[in-house]
Amino acid sequence: MTSRLHINRAHLLRQLKQMLRIRRFEEKCAELYALEKIRGFLHLYIGEEAIAVGVMSVLSADDQVVATYREHGHALARGVSMGSVLSEMYGRTTGCSRGRGGSMHLFDRATHFYGGNAIVGGGLPLATGLALANKKMQRTALTACFFGEGAVAEGEFHESLNLAALWQLPVLFICENNNYAMGTALTLSESETNIARKADSYGIAAAQVDGMNVVDVEAATLEATEYIHTQQKPYLLECKTYRFRGHSSFDSQLYREKEEVALWEEKGPVRQLVQWMRNNSHLLDSELDDIEKDVDKEIQAAVRFAEAGEWEPVEDLSRDVYSPRQTHR
Amino acid sequence: MASETMSYREALRAGLEEALNQDPRVFLMGEDVGRYGGCYAVSKGLLAQFGAERIIDTPLCESGFVGVGIGAALGGMRPIVEVMTVNFSLLAMDQIVNTAATLRHMSGGQFHVPLVIRMACGAGRQLAAQHSHSWENFYAHIPGLKVLSPATHSDARYMLGQALADPNPVLIFEHVMLLNEPGTVPDKPDAPMETALIRRPGTDISLITYGGNLPKALTAAEQLQQDGISAEVVDLRCLRPLDKPTLLNSVRKTHRAVLIDEGWQTGSLAGEISAIIMEDGFWSLDAPVRRVCSAEVPIPYPRHLEQAALPQVEQIVTTAKAVMEGR
Ligand SMILES: Cc1ncc(C[n+]2csc(CCOP(=O)(O)OP(=O)(O)O)c2C)c(N)n1
């Protein structure tokens, strides 16, 4: 195990808080969706928080992040402000994408957050290209690319892995394997259900990790990034996880049993960490209360911020279709 | 004639059920058509009724399973392939355009592809750019394909059967904003699938449209009526091949035309129809043809901007009046 990993109490408290920020934020989003403040599709990350938090805590500020349509957690963990994320879901100009993208298209240049892609598998070639640019421009940054196990069936997955390996690109592929692509279980979509093993055939190093355990995810990510930096090669991390909610707001969940969901909820990342910390006397009830209160305050402020955001005037409809020449460097 | 009331979604499902019951070679294949119940719940219940051999959930591999559908059709089956939405069909475009559309021709008529591909289409649900674009025009551009746009409950119910009876690859576009609408379904199809229909007769101006914009055109026609303008509404129904005689006859009668198309104006199907009218109906025109299309912008997420980007009743009315006044 690597030298840089310092799992002390303070760090665990921070990780717990990050996960709770995502959890409570999304619970709020579900409410706001019911109130029709948020529209379109809403894909909740609840249950999968340990992955975003574990991975992001290892990445450097220069690394790029490519996400999917289930990306609120990635954005928050990456440091995109909660207010600008929520404003985006409201469709206000104060949103991180000026309101033009909504829930599935969070973008943030300042944190190198490259979206928010609603085409399954679409982010993989993009991330590979960002990594190519890093290599050609001799930057030390790497590109982290999140995708679901459903994306593994798309050609983009295979084409990207091949190119990344062939050209030895510094890209970290992170498969969030929650076992379902909408209503299609992994066993019904893949002949080989071990996704890490798929990396083998491209000569890409890979590992599987318990995506419900934030410490494991962080440790595995650290190992992966050190490998990428020292070897100048891609790496694939498969995180085993589960989404506790439906695929989106329109899912009647005909494809899985309630008992199965309950079983996974037992292993939930927040619950697990709280339990472990308590059992080892690392967490006082008052500390947990304080965290919850902080998070609640942050969420309330985000809601106020989003509510106060401006609607873009209709006269601006056709802005940002083309870039003016001066922005090209 | 006996008719039934149901939602557009139920009409589509009734068409699927009939197709599956009538021909054992028919099967439905696509992402989440089975266990999930269909992305837009069109195929809900069909898995229980017909089993996993005939209601086939595929992995996420549009190019792969559409291509497999083409192969199965070549092999004598009658596949109905569902691509969740036309947005994702771009990943399968190579198979549709380079293979399905060309095989008959390239093989000198030896092979043909009796495949039906169904896709949801259209904007209006605040799903932002990657889920809202209208690509029907892309497919209507391709010789070798037939492209259907069921705008009514009757067409939702019967066009699938007509498409399956056709020996060519047929694409059916189902506009998502129609799915929940109730309507009546007669006991037999309105017309052969390649015929355009006059959905509302009129004498002053032709509103030519298809799919999700037909209800908007009909509403606009009613409003125009209140101002003493008699608008005829033409439902294209089939975007390739286009039923030129029907639309030209309408223009010859009314001498004016407004085209309504959810695609972007530049390079649109509306542009093609305008050219047809210019080439073959120019001397019957009393005013230039006008178009109501989507604004030239990737469809934005916020409701007010999305609505501003899409063709609206008010715009159709204003445009029609401008044409009437020779402006
Ligand atoms: C190319 C493409 N095909 C289909 C869809 C519809 N769709 C959106 S999410 C999804 C399931 C993806 O599952 P997975 O990759 O496992 O990610 P998860 O949602 O489980 O996080 C599907 C089928 C899409 N957005 N893009």
Side-chain angles (χ1 to χ4, degrees), chain A residues 48 69-70 118-120 148-151 154 178 180-182 243 247, chain B residues 31-32 60 62 84 88 91 131:
Chain A
E48 309 189 19
Y69 45 83
R70 198 183 297 287
I119 302 301
V120 171
E149 85 293 343
E154 294 279 9
N178 62 17
Y180 289 97
M182 285 184 66
R243 62 169 157 70
H247 164 71
Chain B
E31 291 160 358
D32 290 300
L60 300 178
E62 288 79 6
M84 261 183 203
F88 313 148
L91 284 95
H131 276 63

Side-chain angles (χ1 to χ4, degrees), chain A residues 25-143:
Chain A
F25 175 75
E26 292 215 308
E27 287 167 350
K28 188 72 189 174
C29 288
E31 273 174 44
L32 293 166
Y33 190 85
L35 295 172
E36 301 194 354
K37 297 280 189 181
I38 298 173
R39 309 302 308 266
F41 287 151
L42 182 72
H43 305 93
L44 298 180
Y45 194 57
I46 290 175
E48 309 189 19
E49 298 91 343
I51 304 172
V53 171
V55 170
M56 297 299 176
S57 58
V58 176
L59 298 186
S60 81
D62 295 334
D63 294 338
Q64 301 107 348
V65 177
V66 174
T68 64
Y69 45 83
R70 198 183 297 287
E71 87 281 33
H72 315 146
H74 304 117
L76 291 182
R78 181 58 182 173
V80 185
S81 87
M82 196 181 277
S84 77
V85 170
L86 190 62
S87 294
E88 186 57 36
M89 296 188 198
Y90 269 62
R92 313 279 174 131
T93 49
T94 42
C96 56
S97 310
R98 255 193 98 76
R100 292 297 181 111
S103 163
M104 300 193 285
H105 305 289
L106 306 175
F107 289 86
D108 185 56
R109 194 179 178 88
T111 56
H112 301 288
F113 196 76
Y114 285 82
N117 199 319
I119 302 301
V120 171
L124 285 129
L126 189 85
T128 306
L130 283 163
L132 175 68
N134 286 339
K135 177 166 177 157
K136 288 207 176 294
M137 300 186 84
Q138 300 179 355
R139 290 187 291 242
T140 53
L142 61 78
T143 310

Side-chain angles (χ1 to χ4, degrees), chain B residues 199-275:
Chain B
R199 296 292 186 187
R200 183 189 204 276
T203 51
D204 295 333
I205 188 165
S206 300
L207 306 180
I208 302 170
T209 190
Y210 63 92
N213 288 290
L214 178 66
K216 292 181 184 176
L218 288 167
T219 308
E222 259 163 50
Q223 292 184 15
L224 287 165
Q225 189 69 55
Q226 284 158 22
D227 287 316
I229 298 168
S230 163
E232 174 151 298
V233 178
V234 182
D235 175 7
L236 292 172
R237 295 177 82 236
C238 183
L239 310 183
R240 186 178 192 105
L242 281 167
D243 178 0
K244 291 188 195 181
T246 302
L247 69 96
L248 284 166
N249 284 339
S250 175
V251 176
R252 284 190 190 113
K253 184 171 80 170
T254 63
H255 308 295
R256 294 173 184 87
V258 172
L259 317 176
I260 304 111
D261 176 353
E262 206 171 301
W264 294 296
Q265 181 162 309
T266 305
S268 61
L269 192 65
E272 172 60 22
I273 295 166
S274 171

Side-chain angles (χ1 to χ4, degrees), chain A residues 38-41 88-91 99-102 104-105 117-120 150-151 153-154 156 181-184 188-189 247 250-252 254-255 311-314 317-318 321, chain B residues 31-32 34-40 44 57-63 84 87-88 91 125-131 295-306 308-309:
Chain A
I38 298 173
R39 309 302 308 266
F41 287 151
E88 186 57 36
M89 296 188 198
Y90 269 62
R100 292 297 181 111
M104 300 193 285
H105 305 289
N117 199 319
I119 302 301
V120 171
E154 294 279 9
E156 271 82 352
M182 285 184 66
T184 302
L188 295 168
S189 65
H247 164 71
F250 296 107
D251 182 358
S252 44
L254 305 167
Y255 50 85
W311 293 114
E312 196 168 357
V314 173
L317 178 61
S318 59
V321 177
Chain B
E31 291 160 358
D32 290 300
R35 287 153 189 91
Y36 190 83
C39 183
Y40 289 99
K44 205 167 188 165
D57 278 325
T58 65
L60 300 178
C61 51
E62 288 79 6
S63 181
M84 261 183 203
N87 306 281
F88 313 148
L91 284 95
R125 291 185 155 204
Q126 291 193 252
L127 299 178
Q130 291 183 328
H131 276 63
E296 308 268 331
V297 56
I299 305 294
Y301 163 71
R303 182 170 166 80
H304 67 296
L305 295 181
E306 181 184 48

Side-chain angles (χ1 to χ4, degrees), chain B residues 82-115:
Chain B
E82 174 177 312
V83 178
M84 261 183 203
T85 87
V86 64
N87 306 281
F88 313 148
S89 78
L90 301 193
L91 284 95
M93 201 146 177
D94 166 64
Q95 288 296 321
I96 300 171
V97 172
N98 280 327
T99 303
T102 57
L103 263 183
R104 178 173 173 86
H105 184 80
M106 294 191 304
S107 69
Q110 296 179 83
F111 295 117
H112 68 131
V113 182
L115 170 70

